[in-house]
Amino acid sequence: MGKYIVGITGASGSIYAKRVIERLIQKGHHVCICMTQAGKLVVESELGWQIGQDTPSGEVEQYLQEIFGSKELIHHYDVHAIGAPIASGSSGMDAMIVVPCSMGTLSAICHGSSHNLLERAADVCLKERRPLVIVPREAPYNQIHLENMTKLSGYGAVIMPASPGFYSRPRTIEEMVDFFVTRILDQMGIHEPSESRWTGMDVCVK
């Protein structure tokens, strides 16, 4: 099956990351997770994950494998491990999703700074012409944010602000999250049937 990178940063919206990972491993894909230090704080606050700032990467990996119920498909790389496999284009990753993506990380990716593994992995996706999906979670946007997103789009990334739709009449937060995650997976080349997909309506405008 495929190999995908999920980057988690310090913006709100880590529930999207959790659901993306769940959906990927349900289909038998390998998932490489990389979290920034701020990302660890957010998942603790929003999801209740207990991942200390200085917890060794192996222990974090084991913890995540327990959360997602898979030892074979879940891999974790410390954000400072710049020599990890996902730092090289030869590692053969299929795509990367940064969800949620803070404005700081978005700026770093846009300008190719590659100060940490997450930024470097995103840079690799761009240079190798592999799908890179950025899910910014910020409001409102200032001109710097907008210009950086425009530049990244021009460089080949897909910019997908966390914007769930409502035409499927979601009844729970989980249904809203699933709607948007289906759209994310579409951009990663993974197309799944979903009840939330638009099927049209019998309306004519005169």
Side-chain angles (χ1 to χ4, degrees):
M1 299 299 288
K3 296 189 293 184
Y4 298 91
I5 305 168
V6 176
I8 303 173
T9 76
S12 181
S14 51
I15 188 171
Y16 290 113
K18 178 176 181 288
R19 193 66 184 119
V20 166
I21 296 168
E22 289 173 343
R23 295 271 291 273
L24 287 173
I25 64 174
Q26 284 171 3
K27 294 297 182 181
H29 299 296
H30 288 266
V31 181
C32 300
I33 302 170
C34 185
M35 287 181 280
T36 63
Q37 298 297 88
K40 291 180 180 180
L41 294 175
V42 173
V43 297
E44 179 179 0
S45 173
E46 296 184 349
L47 301 177
W49 293 1
Q50 300 297 314
I51 301 176
Q53 296 289 300
D54 299 318
T55 304
S57 182
E59 293 182 17
V60 175
E61 180 170 275
Q62 183 178 2
Y63 180 77
L64 293 172
Q65 289 172 345
E66 292 173 356
I67 287 177
F68 292 104
S70 176
K71 290 185 177 181
E72 295 78 19
L73 300 178
I74 294 292
H75 314 278
H76 171 265
Y77 296 107
D78 188 273
V79 73
H80 301 299
I82 202 66
I86 60 175
S88 172
S90 64
S91 60
M93 295 290 120
D94 291 290
M96 179 175 182
I97 168 76
V98 185
V99 56
C101 186
S102 68
M103 292 298 106
T105 296
L106 188 149
S107 176
I109 296 171
C110 176
H111 293 90
S113 63
S114 296
H115 290 310
N116 60 42
L117 180 60
L118 192 156
E119 295 166 12
R120 169 59 184 169
D123 188 66
V124 166
C125 280
L126 290 176
K127 80 180 183 72
E128 298 290 334
R129 306 298 192 269
R130 294 171 184 159
L132 172 63
V133 182
I134 304 290
V135 181
R137 218 303 306 166
E138 184 65 273
Y141 297 128
N142 64 35
Q143 188 168 344
I144 297 172
H145 303 156
L146 294 169
E147 289 180 356
N148 284 338
M149 285 188 277
T150 298
K151 289 178 181 178
L152 262 182
S153 178
Y155 300 152
V158 174
I159 309 299
M160 289 192 67
S163 304
F166 294 91
Y167 52 74
S168 60
R169 297 187 180 182
R171 293 161 293 182
T172 64
I173 291 177
E174 288 74 18
E175 288 182 356
M176 292 173 61
V177 169
D178 263 331
F179 168 90
F180 188 65
V181 168
T182 295
R183 300 295 309 281
I184 291 174
L185 295 178
D186 282 343
Q187 294 300 319
M188 297 170 72
I190 302 171
H191 306 287
E192 299 180 347
S194 172
E195 294 181 358
S196 67
R197 292 190 182 278
W198 177 253
T199 57
M201 57 170 49
D202 188 14
V203 176
C204 293
V205 178
K206 297 182 179 179

